[in-house]
């Protein structure tokens, strides 16, 4: 996170002192003002041992900080040890009748936890499991720890402001959030879409006996596959846009709250980049990228001091191609189709997981994938995000050219795990 610290110097600012007040000359003021400015980079570092327990009582001298391989001087250092009984809670202001405020109370000394329930990228059946897990979490949650809840459909929804009341949190998670029409139950499955259905019709009706008819039907099937792939790509692009826009809004809102914010994001994830599809005639027509939008999102998260903890709400996932709910008839006459569907599933799953890993890595959080114990994932995310060290430094390189600058944090003690954001884009802070 970059912040401006203006230093103002006025001269001349001293006057000769006299023995009597009446003889003291009036100080003269010059119209010349010198301004100096420095950019501070804020890095939150979570340090844990092999058992994922927080490591306490480290000193600034234990850390080595580098930017683009060059050592940086640590300007300030602070250890945050999580919520304590003495942590003050901001109280809601008392407004006169008829006056309303969007002010949210939150702890002023500790990290703030925010839950994002993503129904845009989470299948409906997995949302039911997510709600059950969240109710289980509330029964074991640390008392007195406030949390805010947001929802994500095709827009960001504010479900509950910061509160530690389990009944209010439970009511917020039980609110009827419409699910997204842009995602199905599984990724990369062999559900019979229009092209597959047409292939079965051709195979069972005998239309392929005539070579001319067979060629025509093959072209129709190829065109349908092309259309299906382009439609799927378009839906993925919409999901990426809606999701990044919502996280941008959330980052701007959280920037008004001081200190670190932990965004616990329940989602089925989404791919930032849509790769070529080798099963269609023109595989590059479906290619799309959201890298420019993603860069804006990471910059906003950095400035708002938000660490993202994505949790895959689908739990442990396996290939759906041999699931009993899927049709395997298409593999009887086309054995190569099974291998193609398997490759497509693994590529899509890897792209989705990569998004979660990148979002966590770029913000200093941690991604929880392929786990059915969502309660444990939330507990680990809140515990890790509540015990951290804040380091700041002023970069030696003052050339704000928009390039990515890599941040490295090292410890003298070995065998410890460090989680922090690994860089930032050096955009000009004076640019619009």
């Amino acid at each position: 996170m970059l912040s401006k610290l203006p230093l103002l110097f006025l001269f001349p600012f001293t006057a000769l002192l006299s023995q009597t007040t009446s003889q003291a000359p009036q100080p003269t003021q010059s119209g010349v003002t010198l301004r100096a400015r420095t950019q501070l980079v804020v890095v939150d570092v979570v340090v844990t041992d092999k058992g994922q327990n927080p490591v306490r009582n480290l000193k600034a001298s234990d850390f080595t900080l580098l930017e683009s391989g060059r050592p940086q001087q640590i300007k300030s250092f602070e250890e945050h040890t999580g919520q304590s009984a003495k942590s003050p809670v901001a109280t809601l202001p008392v407004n006169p009748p008829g006056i309303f405020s969007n002010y949210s109370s939150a702890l002023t000394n500790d990290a703030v936890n925010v839950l994002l329930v993503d129904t845009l990228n989470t299948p409906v059946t997995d949302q039911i499991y997510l709600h059950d897990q969240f109710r289980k979490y509330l029964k074991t949650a640390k008392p007195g720890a406030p949390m805010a809840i947001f929802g994500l459909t095709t827009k960001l929804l504010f479900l509950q402001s910061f509160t530690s009341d389990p009944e209010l949190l439970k009511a917020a998670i039980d609110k009827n959030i419409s699910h997204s029409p842009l995602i199905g139950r599984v990724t990369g499955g062999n559900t019979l879409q229009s092209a597959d259905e047409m292939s079965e019709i051709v195979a069972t009706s005998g239309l392929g006996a005539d070579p001319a008819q067979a060629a025509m039907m093959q072209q129709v099937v190829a065109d349908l596959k092309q259309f299906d792939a382009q439609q799927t790509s378009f839906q993925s692009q919409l999901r990426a846009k809606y999701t990044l826009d919502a996280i941008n809004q959330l980052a701007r809102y959280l920037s008004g709250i001081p200190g670190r914010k932990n965004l616990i994001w329940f989602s089925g994830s989404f791919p930032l980049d849509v790769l070529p599809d080798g099963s269609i005639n023109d595989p590059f027509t479906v290619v799309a990228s959201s890298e420019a939008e993603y860069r804006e999102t990471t910059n906003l998260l950095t400035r708002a001091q938000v660490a993202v903890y994505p949790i895959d709400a689908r739990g442990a996932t396996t290939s759906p191609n041999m699931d009993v709910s899927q049709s395997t008839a298409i593999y009887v006459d086309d054995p190569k189709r099974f291998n193609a569907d398997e490759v497509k599933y693994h590529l899509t799953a890897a792209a989705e997981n990569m998004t979660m890993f990148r979002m966590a890595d770029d913000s200093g959080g941690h991604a929880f994938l392929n786990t059915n114990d969502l309660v444990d994932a939330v507990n680990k995310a809140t515990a890790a995000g509540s015990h951290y060290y804040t380091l700041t430094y002023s970069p030696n390189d003052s050339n704000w050219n928009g390039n990515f600058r890599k941040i490295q944090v090292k410890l003298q003690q070995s065998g410890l795990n460090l989680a922090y954001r690994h860089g930032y884009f050096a955009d000009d802070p004076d640019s619009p």
Side-chain angles (χ1 to χ4, degrees), residues 2-14:
L2 300 178
S3 61
K4 300 180 180 178
L5 297 179
L7 303 177
L8 187 63
F9 298 90
L10 294 177
F11 67 91
F13 60 92
T14 59

Side-chain angles (χ1 to χ4, degrees), residues 213-282:
Q213 289 183 342
M216 181 184 66
M217 296 306 298
Q218 288 177 358
Q219 184 60 43
V220 172
V221 171
D223 292 341
L224 286 174
K225 286 184 177 181
Q226 185 82 26
F227 175 79
D228 288 340
Q230 291 177 347
Q231 186 72 9
T232 302
S233 173
F234 178 69
Q235 291 176 348
S236 297
Q237 295 176 55
L238 278 181
R239 287 167 51 201
K241 175 177 173 54
Y242 290 146
T243 304
L244 294 177
D245 285 349
I247 295 179
N248 290 353
Q249 284 184 298
L250 188 54
R252 291 189 177 96
Y253 168 77
L254 295 176
S255 64
I257 301 175
R260 176 185 174 97
K261 278 75 68 175
N262 302 316
L263 177 58
I264 304 171
W265 174 25
F266 282 106
S267 175
S269 190
F270 63 95
L272 282 175
D273 301 315
V274 182
L275 303 177
D277 188 349
S279 65
I280 59 179
N281 289 338
D282 194 349

Side-chain angles (χ1 to χ4, degrees), residues 5 113 146 170 179 183 197 248 253 390 398 428 431:
L5 297 179
N113 294 316
K170 190 182 302 181
H179 67 275
I183 185 172
E197 293 171 350
N248 290 353
Y253 168 77
T390 298
S398 59
D428 187 355
S431 61

Side-chain angles (χ1 to χ4, degrees), residues 48 79-80 82 86 89 161 166 234 269 273 308 340 349 366 406 422:
T48 55
E79 178 182 2
H80 304 267
K86 298 181 180 180
V89 178
S161 61
F234 178 69
S269 190
D273 301 315
V308 183
H366 181 78
K406 185 178 181 181
H422 291 271

